[in-house]
Amino acid sequence: MRTSVARIVAAAALLAAVAACGTARRGVPIMGPIAHSDAGMHGKVLFMHNCNQCHPGGDAAVGPAINNKWIPDPVMKLQIRKGVLGSMPAFSDKELSDKDVDDILVYLNELRKKKAK
Amino acid sequence: MRACAVVASLLLSLCIGCYRVLPGAGGGRVKANPDRPINAADISVESGYAITPVAAGLTFPTGVTWDDQNRMYVVESGYSYGEVFTSPRLLRVEPDGNLTTIATGENNGPWNGVVFSRGAFYVAEGGSMDGGRLLRITPDGKIERVVDHIPSGGDHHVDGPIAAPDGTIYFSTGTMTNSGVVGDDDWRFGWLRRHADWHDVPCRDITLTGENFEIPDPRKEGGKATVTSGAFVPFGTPTTKGQVIKGSVPCSGGLFRIAAGGTAPELVAWGFRNPWGLAFGPDGKLYVTDNGYDQRGARPVWGAADWLWRVDPASPGTWYGWPDYSDGRSVTETRYKGNYRQPTRLLAEDPNPPQQPVALFGCHSSSNGIDFSRSDKFGHVGEAFVAQFGDQAPVTGKVLGAVGFKVVRVNVDNGVIEEFAINAGKKNGPASMLKSGGLERPLSVRFSPDGSALYIVDFGILMMSDKGAAPVKGTGVLWRVTRAGGEG
C-alpha cells in the first residue's frame, strides 16, 4: 500500500514536471537553423519519415510535443520499440535499426537543447 | 538500477493513454474576433526574409495567378466548410490593393485555385451544388465549361489547376468521402442532404471485398435507425464480395490533364484522397500535396499523415493507395486503429504496388498549396513551399495541439520539412487563437513570375466546434514574402 501511494505521488510529480517545460517550438523562424551532427542529420531524416506526422518538428499533433520534455534516452528507446497502446506504434528493428534509433535520439536531443535566437 | 526501472515504467505508464486522457486541442477551437487584425510583425519568417500584406478583406480566397501583362488575380471560392455559400469570383488585385471583379460564377463553389494560360484563366469549380467542373474564363469575364459532371462536391472538390509550358492544363479531384464509404459524417458536411446518390467513383474498374458498415441513419429521427452501406456506392447500399465497380474518367481522387484547347481529360494518376496542390518540380515531375485520412465517419483511419507525392506525367495510370493505404502502408496495420474499429481492406486487390510519399506532413495539418522556388532572387531554389491550412479539430479528429497554420519548405530529395513562415510566440496556432495579427489559415502559395516573391493566400478565419465549421467572411488576406529589402 505504501509503495502504491509512493508510486502515485511520484507519478503526479512527474506529470507536473513534464507538463511545465516551456515552448515546444524549434522551427527555423523562431530558433534559427540548427547545425546538426552527422548522426543528428541522419536522425532528422529518419524522424521526418517515421515520427513527423504525429510529432511535427517535435511539436504536438496527434502525439504530444516532445521538444519541451526531458525524457531519458532509455525510456525514449523503450517507447519507440514498444509503442503505446492505442496511439503510438511500435517500431521493430526491421524498420529502425538500433543505430537508427540512436541517431533519432541524437537529433531530438540536439533539437531540445536549441535555445531561442 | 531498480529505481531507474521504476521511474522508467512510471513514465511509460503515464504516457499510456496520454492521447485518450489529455484534452483535445486544435487551432480552430476559438472564439475569433471577426474584425481580424493584420500585423506582419506578428509573423516570424526565416531570417533574411520579410512579409507584408498585399490585399485584405477577401472572402474565402483560394488561389493567385498573373496574366501575360504580369497583373495579379485572386479567386474567391464562393463556398466554405460550414455550408456557407457566397459568390465565387475572379478578381484583379490592383497595384494599390483594390480589387476589380473580372468574373462571378454560379452557386457551385468552391473555386479552388486559378491559373492563367494562353490568354485565359482556368479555374477548378468544386461542385458543392451540381458537381465539379473545369472552367475557362476570358480576360473580359466570359465563363465556359471545359469539363463538366466531374464526381466532386462531397467532402473534397476539384482542385488545381496548373499549366505546363506546352499549355497542357493539369487538375485534380478530391474524394467524396473520408475513406470510401458514405457515412453520417457526410450528412453533417451538408452535401449528402442535397445528393443522396453521390458516392466515390474509381478511375479504373475495381473489385470489392464486400466489406459493409452499420451506420447511423441521420435521415431518421430518434438517433437509433441504422443503414448497411458499402464502399463506392450510395449511402445505404450494401455491397458483396467480388462486386465490380466500373471505373470512369473523370473520377474521384484523380489527377488529370487536358491538352491546350482540348476538352477531354486524360487520367494521369489516381488513388489520391484530396490532392489539393499541384506543382512541377525542377526535375520535370509533378508534385502533389494530398490530405490524409480523418478520424470520422464509417471507416475512420487514425494517425494518417498528409502526403507529398511525386508523379511522373510521362508514365500515366499509377494508383497512389486510397482507400486502402496510408503513408505507403496498408491501413490494416494496427497503427491506424486508434480508439476505433480496425480499418479493413475495401479493394480485393491492389491496382499496383503501393507508392511511397516523398514527405510526410503532420496529421491533420491540411497541407495544400505548393510551389517550387526557381530563382536565386528568392533563394531555396529547388525546394517546395507548402501552405498548411491547419487542423479542423474536432471534426477531423482529436489533436493535442494546433497543427499547421504555417508555410513550410520541403527538400524533395530527402523529405526534410522546415518551417518558413509561422506566427510568432511560444505556441503554434492561427492568429485568432494567439490573439495576434499574423497568419490565419494559409491555403495556397505561388511564386511571382520573376521568382522573386512568394505569395501566400490566407483563407481567413475558420472556427471549429463539435457543431462543425464556422467561417468568417471578409477575413482573407494575400501576403507577400521577399528577401529582406526586396520588392518582389
Side-chain angles (χ1 to χ4, degrees):
Chain A
M1 186 64 164
R2 279 188 195 163
T3 307
S4 296
V5 169
R7 284 183 177 176
I8 290 168
V9 170
L14 277 163
L15 187 59
V18 298
C21 294
T23 179
R25 310 191 87 181
R26 294 292 186 276
V28 169
I30 298 278
M31 295 284 179
I34 301 175
H36 291 290
S37 62
D38 287 347
M41 194 60 221
H42 181 234
K44 183 174 187 176
V45 174
L46 291 169
F47 181 91
M48 289 290 159
H49 289 274
N50 292 280
C51 321
N52 192 65
Q53 66 203 72
C54 295
H55 309 279
D59 206 339
V62 294
I66 48 182
N67 287 339
N68 58 348
K69 298 176 181 66
W70 177 76
I71 302 175
D73 281 1
V75 176
M76 290 281 278
K77 279 189 191 178
L78 188 66
Q79 196 151 353
I80 290 170
R81 285 287 184 234
K82 299 297 181 189
V84 177
L85 286 171
S87 39
M88 178 167 166
F91 293 86
S92 72
D93 53 12
K94 291 186 180 49
E95 294 176 282
L96 292 172
S97 68
D98 287 343
K99 170 81 170 47
D100 288 340
V101 173
D102 287 343
D103 286 353
I104 289 174
L105 296 181
V106 169
Y107 165 66
L108 287 174
N109 285 322
E110 288 173 355
L111 201 64
R112 206 173 281 136
K113 288 173 188 164
K114 177 69 179 174
K115 303 287 184 203
K117 61 183 177 182
Chain B
M1 190 64 166
R2 193 172 168 181
C4 284
V6 168
V7 167
S9 62
L10 272 170
L11 278 165
L12 189 60
S13 64
L14 273 176
C15 290
I16 287 174
C18 244
Y19 179 79
R20 300 176 203 177
V21 170
L22 290 171
R29 302 182 80 157
V30 296
K31 224 167 167 58
N33 175 5
D35 297 321
R36 176 187 174 179
I38 297 170
N39 186 356
D42 289 333
I43 301 171
S44 286
V45 196
E46 189 175 305
S47 181
Y49 293 87
I51 187 167
T52 53
V54 172
L58 296 161
T59 293
F60 315 152
T62 61
V64 62
T65 193
W66 290 261
D67 65 14
D68 47 15
Q69 297 171 58
N70 278 342
R71 295 180 297 184
M72 187 161 59
Y73 298 77
V74 295
V75 284
E76 290 181 326
S77 82
Y79 172 81
S80 168
Y81 287 137
E83 290 284 274
V84 174
F85 291 87
T86 60
S87 295
R89 298 194 297 167
L90 173 65
L91 307 165
R92 185 168 59 232
V93 183
E94 306 298 353
D96 60 3
N98 282 329
L99 305 167
T100 301
T101 302
I102 303 301
T104 302
E106 297 175 27
N107 184 22
N108 195 37
W111 277 10
N112 262 349
V114 60
V115 69
F116 184 87
S117 177
R118 309 218 161 178
F121 300 92
Y122 290 84
V123 170
E125 182 166 282
S128 291
M129 297 300 280
D130 299 323
R133 298 171 183 140
L134 180 69
L135 305 177
R136 182 177 181 276
I137 305 176
T138 58
D140 60 356
K142 182 172 161 237
I143 303 174
E144 71 173 283
R145 301 174 189 179
V146 177
V147 183
D148 207 343
H149 309 300
I150 299 174
S152 162
D155 293 1
H156 312 117
H157 310 96
V158 184
D159 302 314
I162 62 168
D166 65 357
T168 301
I169 301 296
Y170 287 75
F171 69 97
S172 53
T173 56
T175 55
M176 289 283 193
T177 66
N178 176 35
S179 56
V181 182
V182 182
D184 56 328
D185 55 324
D186 301 310
W187 183 267
R188 286 192 292 277
F189 260 92
W191 63 267
L192 184 57
R193 299 169 198 251
R194 290 190 288 278
H195 295 283
D197 59 334
W198 278 9
H199 57 86
D200 285 300
V201 176
C203 303
R204 297 273 190 253
D205 292 356
I206 55 172
T207 303
L208 300 180
T209 59
E211 180 82 24
N212 289 312
F213 301 82
E214 204 68 28
I215 304 169
D217 188 348
R219 301 168 300 185
K220 307 275 171 56
E221 289 190 12
K224 291 186 179 163
T226 62
V227 296
T228 300
S229 215
F232 293 94
V233 290
F235 183 71
T237 309
T239 56
T240 56
K241 183 178 176 183
Q243 182 174 343
V244 174
I245 304 289
K246 300 294 286 180
S248 66
V249 173
C251 40
S252 311
L255 172 62
F256 313 91
R257 61 186 167 206
I258 296 184
T263 57
E266 177 197 352
L267 181 68
V268 178
W270 63 297
F272 302 108
R273 182 176 174 278
N274 189 22
W276 206 96
L278 311 175
F280 280 101
D283 56 359
K285 302 291 191 286
L286 196 48
Y287 287 79
V288 180
T289 53
D290 188 9
N291 297 170
Y293 303 88
D294 292 334
Q295 298 140 229
R296 61 176 167 88
R299 187 173 175 259
V301 179
W302 193 88
D306 281 4
W307 312 297
L308 179 61
W309 301 108
R310 180 185 290 122
V311 176
D312 183 0
S315 299
T318 301
W319 172 74
Y320 278 78
W322 188 89
D324 281 350
Y325 284 83
S326 177
D327 323 322
R329 298 170 176 261
S330 170
V331 296
T332 59
E333 291 189 21
T334 55
R335 61 168 58 203
Y336 297 114
K337 177 181 180 301
N339 296 328
Y340 309 95
R341 171 183 165 180
Q342 173 68 53
T344 52
R345 292 182 59 89
L346 297 180
L347 306 186
E349 53 200 40
D350 296 338
N352 53 250
Q355 305 298 295
Q356 297 302 314
V358 168
L360 300 170
F361 302 103
C363 298
H364 305 310
S365 58
S366 198
S367 296
N368 295 327
I370 178 175
D371 202 3
F372 281 81
S373 178
R374 298 176 181 82
S375 170
D376 288 326
K377 293 178 191 173
F378 189 85
H380 292 300
V381 174
E383 292 194 14
F385 285 72
V386 175
Q388 297 188 323
F389 184 76
D391 70 78
Q392 292 173 64
V395 169
T396 53
K398 179 179 172 181
V399 293
L400 300 182
V403 193
F405 306 99
K406 60 181 79 161
V407 175
V408 298
R409 55 182 175 85
V410 186
N411 180 324
V412 297
D413 293 326
N414 61 14
V416 170
I417 301 164
E418 301 279 13
E419 291 179 341
F420 179 74
I422 60 177
N423 285 327
K426 292 188 175 178
K427 292 180 78 168
N428 182 48
S432 53
M433 183 184 110
L434 303 174
K435 305 278 188 268
S436 78
L439 298 170
E440 191 59 35
R441 289 193 180 266
L443 178 57
S444 184
V445 288
R446 195 63 74 196
F447 280 94
S448 58
D450 71 351
S452 66
L454 176 70
Y455 284 80
I456 301 170
V457 179
D458 181 342
F459 186 84
I461 297 170
L462 183 80
M463 294 180 281
M464 299 297 302
S465 72
D466 291 326
K467 294 179 186 164
V472 180
K473 299 176 194 175
T475 58
V477 174
L478 182 65
W479 304 90
R480 178 176 62 224
V481 182
T482 55
R483 276 267 173 83
E487 292 185 0

